[in-house]
Amino acid sequence: MKLVSYLREETDQLAILVDGLLYNTQELHPDLPNNMGMFLMMWEDVITIAQQADALLKSGKNPGSAHGIPVTDVQLLSPVPFPTSCRDGYAFRQHVAAARRNRKVDMIPEFDQYPIFYFTNHNAIQGPGDIHCMPDHFDKLDFELEVAIVICKAGRNITAAAADDYIGGYMIMNDMSARTLQMEEMKLNLGPAKGKDFSTVIGPMLVTPDELEPYKVAAKPGHTGNNYQLKMTCKVNGIQVSEGNMGDMDWTFAEIVERCAYGVNILPGDVIGSGTVGTGCFLELNGTGKLNDPNYTEQWLQPGDVVEMEIAGLGVLSNTIVKEDTDFSILALKKNV
């Protein structure tokens, strides 16, 4: 099942996507909530009803009074417009190893010992469309190609063996990064914060795990949880700059959820990202380029750039970079010491 949130009469409307058409949930069945927040809160009570409606739509039958709306005619929002929190993991060894190699430091052994994550700004979640950036963000502005999940039922102290039951679905995630802001503040052993908090993009839809069964592969040796062979690409202005695969995740989402839920409640609506796939950002690509050729010209995102991420089974997430009309800079406020 593919679930979409879109803007309808100034609020978020939940719909099921079938063959390019959106069907409003509450028009498919009176027990289905009309927004993703309530749908996730009521997940165990409504998921079977929604799946039955989805199956009927796919068979050419309309189970309710819903009229199909072309998905191209609406303004898509993040599939989860108001997440209860947003964490981002660090699951792809290739990305971590390449970034450290490019900085001429050894691979950190702790990567293989346990999964980690950081919290980012869940109030800055957005979907397809314009990404508004301040002048300082353009000092090495970067994308990060990732997969994200959303939690669909509350839990605490969940084991990896049970954690996949708490995953409602999968989405594309672009963890936008302002690298100069990020690197400056992380010298103080905190963050990332200002380098990350301005925009995290997820979308264009939430795809439930049953849709991804054909892509399912084994987790890497010694690991637990579902994994999927999903090709991941990113294009900037129509030119492909990144390619990877979700199947290369070293830590599974189940293992990340296990760590997230240790001693703390996870809640319906919590979004968790995978971390960047190998080659999935300019920071890594530029570092590799300069390592191989000192004259390599770095590339960073610029105003007007169109970033298109595509993941097999999860769709295409498209955003345009927009510069705010201001010259206000917090980098300029640094004290001289």
Side-chain angles (χ1 to χ4, degrees):
M1 184 168 57
K2 297 179 174 70
L3 293 166
V4 169
S5 295
Y6 72 95
L7 188 64
R8 183 190 186 199
E9 298 176 354
E10 303 306 314
T11 191
D12 56 309
Q13 170 67 54
L14 181 62
I16 294 177
L17 175 64
V18 176
D19 295 331
L21 297 177
L22 297 173
Y23 296 88
N24 295 333
T25 46
Q26 75 275 16
E27 296 168 7
L28 290 169
H29 194 284
D31 291 339
L32 290 178
N34 66 353
N35 65 78
M36 180 62 85
M38 286 301 299
F39 192 92
L40 291 166
M41 288 292 294
M42 300 170 62
W43 185 270
E44 292 182 288
D45 295 324
V46 300
I47 185 60
T48 300
I49 299 171
Q51 288 172 332
Q52 289 170 346
D54 181 60
L56 287 170
L57 289 169
K58 288 173 178 173
S59 69
K61 301 173 184 176
N62 191 329
S65 60
H67 299 285
I69 303 166
V71 68
T72 52
D73 289 354
V74 303
Q75 180 183 336
L76 294 182
L77 304 173
S78 157
V80 186
F82 305 103
T84 42
S85 70
C86 187
R87 299 169 173 90
D88 198 15
Y90 209 38
F92 290 94
R93 195 180 202 279
Q94 179 187 345
H95 168 69
V96 178
R100 294 184 68 83
R101 177 203 66 203
N102 294 344
R103 300 200 307 272
K104 296 182 171 58
V105 294
D106 293 335
M107 180 58 184
I108 188 165
E110 285 80 2
F111 175 86
D112 297 305
Q113 296 173 4
Y114 48 85
I116 64 167
F117 65 89
Y118 73 93
F119 280 97
T120 191
N121 184 5
H122 64 288
N123 291 316
I125 290 287
Q126 67 170 94
D130 292 347
I131 300 174
H132 291 270
C133 301
M134 292 290 284
D136 290 345
H137 295 142
F138 286 100
D139 198 332
K140 301 183 178 180
L141 181 64
D142 207 352
F143 69 92
E144 293 195 37
L145 174 58
E146 308 188 17
V147 184
I149 60 168
V150 67
I151 298 300
C152 62
K153 59 181 180 179
R156 184 183 181 95
N157 295 328
I158 301 159
T159 64
D164 281 311
D165 291 340
Y166 290 78
I167 297 174
Y170 298 80
M171 305 165 282
I172 303 172
M173 181 172 182
N174 179 2
D175 176 32
M176 292 291 296
S177 301
R179 297 301 188 185
T180 294
L181 286 171
Q182 177 191 356
M183 297 307 173
E184 285 208 342
E185 64 191 355
M186 290 185 75
K187 291 177 183 177
L188 291 161
N189 296 319
L190 286 178
K194 291 310 299 176
K196 298 278 192 176
D197 69 352
F198 59 102
S199 173
T200 301
V201 192
I202 56 175
M205 56 192 172
L206 177 71
V207 180
T208 53
D210 54 290
E211 290 266 345
L212 301 179
E213 279 295 314
Y215 302 96
K216 201 168 184 180
V217 294
K220 292 199 173 181
H223 291 271
T224 301
N226 292 342
N227 195 16
Y228 302 94
Q229 194 77 9
L230 305 181
K231 182 179 178 180
M232 307 169 64
T233 61
C234 181
K235 295 179 181 177
V236 177
N237 300 327
I239 299 171
Q240 182 171 308
V241 295
S242 175
E243 180 176 334
N245 199 294
M246 182 180 171
D248 292 331
M249 286 180 71
D250 292 271
W251 292 102
T252 67
F253 273 115
E255 292 167 328
I256 297 170
V257 169
E258 178 183 66
R259 188 171 180 89
C260 291
Y262 182 79
V264 71
N265 297 328
I266 59 169
L267 301 172
D270 287 357
V271 169
I272 304 172
S274 62
T276 309
V277 71
T279 78
C281 65
F282 280 138
L283 180 70
E284 179 187 336
L285 295 168
N286 288 335
T288 300
K290 292 184 81 68
L291 191 68
N292 295 327
D293 177 6
N295 297 317
Y296 180 87
T297 301
E298 293 187 356
Q299 182 177 357
W300 302 102
L301 294 175
Q302 305 297 325
D305 282 354
V306 177
V307 182
E308 290 179 298
M309 295 184 169
E310 182 171 3
I311 299 181
L314 303 184
V316 178
L317 177 61
S318 181
N319 296 95
T320 301
I321 307 299
V322 176
K323 184 181 184 297
E324 296 279 12
D325 186 17
T326 178
D327 59 1
F328 178 45
S329 166
I330 58 171
L331 288 171
L333 299 176
K334 287 190 302 181
K335 305 296 185 186
N336 293 320
V337 292

